[in-house]
Amino acid sequence: MSNRRMMVVGAHSADFVWRAAGAVACHTAAGGEALVVALSYGERGESGKLWEQPGQTEENVKRLRHAEAEKAAAAVGARFEALDLGDYPLTVGPEAVDRLAEMMRDFAPHVVLTHPEKDPFNPDHPAAHAAVAQARLLTSGAGVASGFRTAPPSEFLVFEPHQPELCGFVPTVYVDITPVFEQKVEAMSAMAAQQYLQDYYRQRADQRGNHARKVTGDAGIRQAEAFHRLLPNAVASL
């Protein structure tokens, strides 16, 4: 059983579902612990279905989105927390970065996943990347004794954006999510405010599964998720 810890940080409460729910499910199925953090609920810019309801309010949308994200996280064995910083625009000030860094020190993740630094279609995703990158550095310090509490440096990867070619995303890691794919489907189904994305990410999982089969020769891989490793990984041998 694994004792590794994974932290996934998204700009909005549903971001982890589409892009990394399979990897989270694989991680927890192996005995690891996973924490999903949403910097906002995506209540203003990413909750279209909910805003079609007459008399809808921002606070009610946030309440519904929190419930959806908790249900989705539970489907893949993770815990969900939200910072509720607001979206469109997502502004992550120094206090919020410090709060995120403190969460990282407390949880001490072995791996951190977040958005790529570039996204020409969503203003909140690059803001989330910048905040996570800074918080991660503040968590581990400079690799020497520090005058503040630190945690060991984590592996740092970004998950696949909605339009990878236009975000400069090139996969360096494929995670075989075939054994847990139904858990990802369950997590996606929980996000009622964005039902229109479910078919898209089913198809993307199949496409990445095809790519993973080609690079591994493993015919048993049917679905996969793609990630890009930002920092080298030190290993004992090849």
Side-chain angles (χ1 to χ4, degrees):
M1 296 291 284
S2 171
N3 61 355
R4 284 171 60 82
R5 292 176 297 279
M6 172 187 285
M7 177 181 280
V8 186
V9 185
H12 315 109
S13 57
D15 288 336
F16 83 96
V17 175
W18 319 116
R19 300 166 175 89
V24 173
C26 288
H27 180 83
T28 58
E33 185 179 358
L35 172 62
V36 173
V37 179
L39 300 181
S40 82
Y41 289 111
E43 65 273 10
R44 285 159 46 88
E46 304 212 344
S47 302
K49 279 290 182 183
L50 297 178
W51 284 108
E52 293 175 4
Q53 300 172 14
Q56 187 62 274
T57 66
E58 195 167 302
E59 285 306 311
N60 190 53
V61 169
K62 288 197 283 188
R63 181 183 63 81
L64 293 170
R65 292 279 283 182
H66 188 98
E68 288 180 355
E70 278 194 326
K71 184 177 180 180
V76 294
R79 179 163 54 92
F80 174 77
E81 294 189 22
L83 271 60
D84 192 12
L85 300 177
D87 69 316
Y88 284 80
L90 171 65
T91 302
V92 189
E95 290 185 3
V97 171
D98 286 345
R99 183 178 171 192
L100 184 59
E102 195 65 12
M103 293 174 73
M104 289 182 178
R105 294 184 191 107
D106 290 340
F107 189 62
H110 295 88
V111 59
V112 170
L113 308 177
T114 193
H115 300 271
E117 65 178 340
K118 178 182 177 183
D119 190 332
F121 297 101
N122 192 304
D124 293 350
H125 293 170
H129 175 92
V132 174
Q134 184 178 12
R136 180 186 168 277
L137 289 174
L138 293 172
T139 297
S140 60
V144 297
S146 303
F148 53 91
R149 188 165 65 99
T150 62
S154 65
E155 297 178 49
F156 193 23
L157 296 89
V158 296
F159 42 61
E160 182 168 14
H162 191 71
Q163 300 193 44
E165 298 87 352
L166 298 176
C167 298
F169 176 87
V170 178
T172 59
V173 177
Y174 290 116
V175 176
D176 175 12
I177 65 170
T178 309
V180 299
F181 186 61
E182 289 308 312
Q183 287 177 257
K184 174 161 184 167
V185 171
E186 182 181 350
M188 291 194 296
S189 298
M191 307 310 296
Q194 292 176 280
Q195 294 176 0
Y196 56 90
L197 289 176
Q198 294 179 24
D199 287 342
Y200 180 93
Y201 279 98
R202 282 174 180 265
Q203 294 169 6
R204 180 46 54 97
D206 290 340
Q207 292 163 355
R208 290 309 191 187
N210 175 276
H211 300 163
R213 285 196 300 276
K214 289 184 176 180
V215 299
T216 63
D218 184 348
I221 299 176
R222 309 315 303 172
Q223 291 90 19
E225 288 174 343
F227 300 86
H228 179 85
R229 187 179 295 279
L230 293 177
L231 298 173
N233 191 26
V235 297
S237 65
L238 294 177

